[in-house]
């Protein structure tokens, strides 16, 4: 995975991703973008993969799988670089991420 588990969890929570959607995003972060590969890994139909991606796109206000990758990586770097999560500032920043769409 391109980003740490902590940042992944925070971002998945921020966007309200379901467990299945989180699994898809993890695969995208691992470089797996093709339907055929994803259907095999997840043991689901191609239409299920496509529908879950459409739901992810809607929740994140984006329109492509590469944008999912880009958004998770950039926002994880931002979380990591701005404030340590253990600091008071870091906690305030995370609360703001949940309530505002600052990115």
């Amino acid at each position: 995975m391109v980003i740490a588990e902590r940042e992944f969890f925070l971002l998945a929570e921020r966007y309200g991703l379901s467990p299945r959607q989180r699994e898809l995003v993890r695969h995208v972060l691992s470089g797996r973008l093709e339907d055929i590969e994803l259907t095999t890994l997840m043991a689901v139909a191609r239409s299920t993969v496509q529908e879950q991606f459409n739901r992810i796109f809607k929740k994140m206000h984006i329109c492509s799988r590469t944008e999912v990758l880009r958004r998770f990586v950039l926002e994880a770097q931002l979380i990591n670089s701005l404030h340590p999560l253990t600091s008071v500032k870091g906690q305030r920043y995370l609360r703001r991420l949940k309530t505002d769409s600052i990115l």
Side-chain angles (χ1 to χ4, degrees), residues 66-77:
T66 53
E67 185 65 20
V68 171
L69 174 63
R70 181 182 164 280
R71 178 85 55 95
F72 263 79
V73 170
L74 290 177
E75 290 186 23
Q77 288 173 344

Side-chain angles (χ1 to χ4, degrees), residues 39-98:
T39 57
T40 303
L41 288 168
M42 297 175 67
V44 295
R46 183 177 185 195
S47 60
T48 302
V49 169
Q50 292 171 338
E51 180 60 34
Q52 288 300 324
F53 271 121
N54 287 332
R55 290 178 183 166
I56 292 168
F57 298 160
K58 185 175 179 181
K59 288 179 179 183
M60 294 180 71
H61 305 286
I62 56 176
C63 59
S64 74
R65 297 173 193 199
T66 53
E67 185 65 20
V68 171
L69 174 63
R70 181 182 164 280
R71 178 85 55 95
F72 263 79
V73 170
L74 290 177
E75 290 186 23
Q77 288 173 344
L78 183 62
I79 290 170
N80 224 6
S81 66
L82 285 180
H83 308 291
L85 296 178
T86 55
S87 73
V88 173
K89 281 184 177 181
Q91 293 301 318
R92 273 190 251 140
Y93 175 74
L94 290 175
R95 279 194 299 274
R96 206 169 99 216
L97 266 182
K98 286 184 179 179

